[in-house]
Amino acid sequence: MNLINKKVTHKRFGTGNIVKHNETSIEIHFASESKKFVFPDVFEKHLKLHDQSVATSLEQMLEKKEMERKEEELRKEKEREILRKQHELRLEHEKLMKNHKHHPESQMVFWCDTEEQISAFEEWRVFSGVIKSGNNKGKPNKPSRLHQNSAVLLTTVDPNQPEQDRKILGVYMVNEKFVGKLCEDGYIPAHSEYKLQLTEQESEQLPFYKYYVNEKSPDKMTWNTGKYRYFSNAWMAQILRDIVSLKTDPKEQELAKGFFKHFCKMNKILAQELPEPNGALMRS
């Protein structure tokens, strides 16, 4: 917009001519002196153009600028709100971390169907499923017992095989920042380092019920319903210890050793005092 030589009236300095202007400033020569102002802000309250057509164009420009200013302010307000919520979550996370007490059964065993056997290892996460009834029907299950000391055991059993043949496919430590009580979407992500997938031959040597037993019905090997079960920290440690002995690849064995050591540390388990597996299969 060319405003050079356009006449204006200033509330304080009277009538003058525009002699210079750019995107941020404007210079006006009045009767006795020249003055510089912020452009286009000075036109909002203090300065009026005599040329009506140019004044209309300038007004439209000011309206557009005001709209952009409001949009920018709204964007910043949304950013502040996001930061505020993140701060609240961080404080809640720190509080939960500080006050957290280890549950003796804070591990998860998950039943992977055929599709999940692929996605679980590609994405390294599982979905806890949805609530089937009540006020929260349809919402994701909240794995509230899981914390940074927890691991997720991935298992499966073929449809034409009995439950006692359930085998272990792999295992991962939950993500370093994961807190089950704060999980809203039902997804349980893996640790950046501690995650292991077993070969088919290794899985055949790790039947789930070698470790797991329902103490209320020790002679039964049943799953019933649901995608997951919580189970003993000690049982998970036994499984990790046995995975170490199964792995023959040097890199994977080193990872398994580190995983086992980290798990024991997080769960205050002394590896040398860990008993041998005594699951349902060992008692039949």
Side-chain angles (χ1 to χ4, degrees):
M1 182 179 293
N2 184 14
L3 299 176
I4 300 299
N5 294 324
K6 298 296 181 183
K7 282 189 176 183
V8 294
T9 297
H10 191 279
K11 286 185 177 181
R12 180 179 173 187
F13 301 107
T15 302
N17 288 329
I18 299 172
V19 293
K20 290 181 182 179
H21 85 89
N22 55 36
E23 292 183 357
T24 59
S25 68
I26 190 167
E27 185 175 342
I28 301 169
H29 181 69
F30 297 100
S32 59
E33 59 182 333
S34 291
K35 292 283 185 182
K36 283 187 177 181
F37 304 96
V38 176
F39 179 81
D41 304 24
V42 68
F43 284 97
E44 293 179 0
K45 294 182 179 180
H46 305 288
L47 205 60
K48 183 178 180 181
L49 273 163
H50 290 199
D51 188 321
Q52 190 57 46
S53 64
V54 177
T56 300
S57 297
L58 183 62
E59 185 178 349
Q60 291 173 348
M61 187 186 76
L62 290 172
E63 287 176 354
K64 182 180 178 183
K65 183 183 178 186
E66 177 63 14
M67 188 179 297
E68 289 173 350
R69 186 193 66 78
K70 288 181 178 179
E71 288 175 353
E72 178 65 12
E73 182 58 34
L74 184 62
R75 184 188 66 80
K76 288 181 178 179
E77 180 59 32
K78 287 180 178 179
E79 283 184 355
R80 286 193 290 268
E81 181 65 15
I82 290 171
L83 289 173
R84 185 186 64 78
K85 288 182 178 179
Q86 288 177 343
H87 179 67
E88 288 179 353
L89 284 173
R90 187 161 54 249
L91 289 177
E92 188 174 358
H93 180 273
E94 289 172 357
K95 182 179 178 182
L96 286 170
M97 286 295 295
K98 184 178 179 181
N99 300 325
H100 178 67
K101 294 181 180 178
H102 285 164
H103 192 287
E105 295 185 352
S106 56
Q107 312 306 314
M108 175 182 282
V109 52
F110 189 86
W111 183 349
C112 293
D113 59 29
T114 305
E115 187 176 328
E116 287 167 332
Q117 289 179 43
I118 299 171
S119 64
F121 293 111
E122 286 183 348
E123 301 173 13
W124 282 106
R125 67 175 188 173
V126 293
F127 178 61
S128 60
V130 296
I131 299 169
K132 301 295 185 182
S133 60
N135 295 333
N136 293 320
K137 183 179 179 180
K139 291 184 178 180
N141 281 307
K142 184 174 288 192
S144 56
R145 253 191 232 179
L146 298 191
H147 207 73
Q148 287 155 317
N149 67 301
S150 303
V152 176
L153 192 70
L154 305 171
T155 71
T156 193
V157 62
D158 292 337
N160 58 347
Q161 291 182 328
E163 174 60 25
Q164 70 181 44
D165 289 340
R166 180 175 295 278
K167 58 186 178 182
I168 296 168
L169 302 173
V171 58
Y172 66 81
M173 206 79 187
V174 300
N175 184 271
E176 299 91 316
K177 296 181 179 179
F178 184 81
V179 176
K181 290 180 180 178
L182 300 179
C183 178
E184 297 294 339
D185 61 5
Y187 284 100
I188 307 164
H191 192 279
S192 59
E193 181 180 0
Y194 299 121
K195 43 196 176 187
L196 291 165
Q197 182 175 3
L198 302 184
T199 65
E200 189 173 342
Q201 292 76 17
E202 289 167 345
S203 290
E204 293 297 334
Q205 298 179 66
L206 278 184
F208 173 64
Y209 288 98
K210 176 182 178 181
Y211 309 90
Y212 178 86
V213 65
N214 183 342
E215 296 293 356
K216 293 181 180 179
S217 304
D219 57 330
K220 293 182 179 179
M221 288 174 263
T222 57
W223 185 277
N224 297 326
T225 60
K227 292 297 295 180
Y228 66 86
R229 298 281 182 276
Y230 292 117
F231 74 113
S232 166
N233 302 346
W235 294 344
M236 184 65 86
Q238 291 170 351
I239 292 168
L240 290 171
R241 181 181 61 186
D242 286 356
I243 290 176
V244 172
S245 63
L246 281 178
K247 289 292 183 184
T248 55
D249 178 83
K251 285 187 177 180
E252 288 208 351
Q253 189 177 64
E254 196 62 30
L255 175 59
K257 286 179 179 177
F259 192 158
F260 176 58
K261 183 178 179 180
H262 175 75
F263 181 86
C264 289
K265 180 181 178 182
M266 293 293 287
N267 286 277
K268 299 179 174 63
I269 292 173
L270 294 175
Q272 60 270 28
E273 295 181 5
L274 193 63
E276 291 301 311
N278 190 30
L281 279 176
M282 311 299 284
R283 306 182 189 191
S284 59

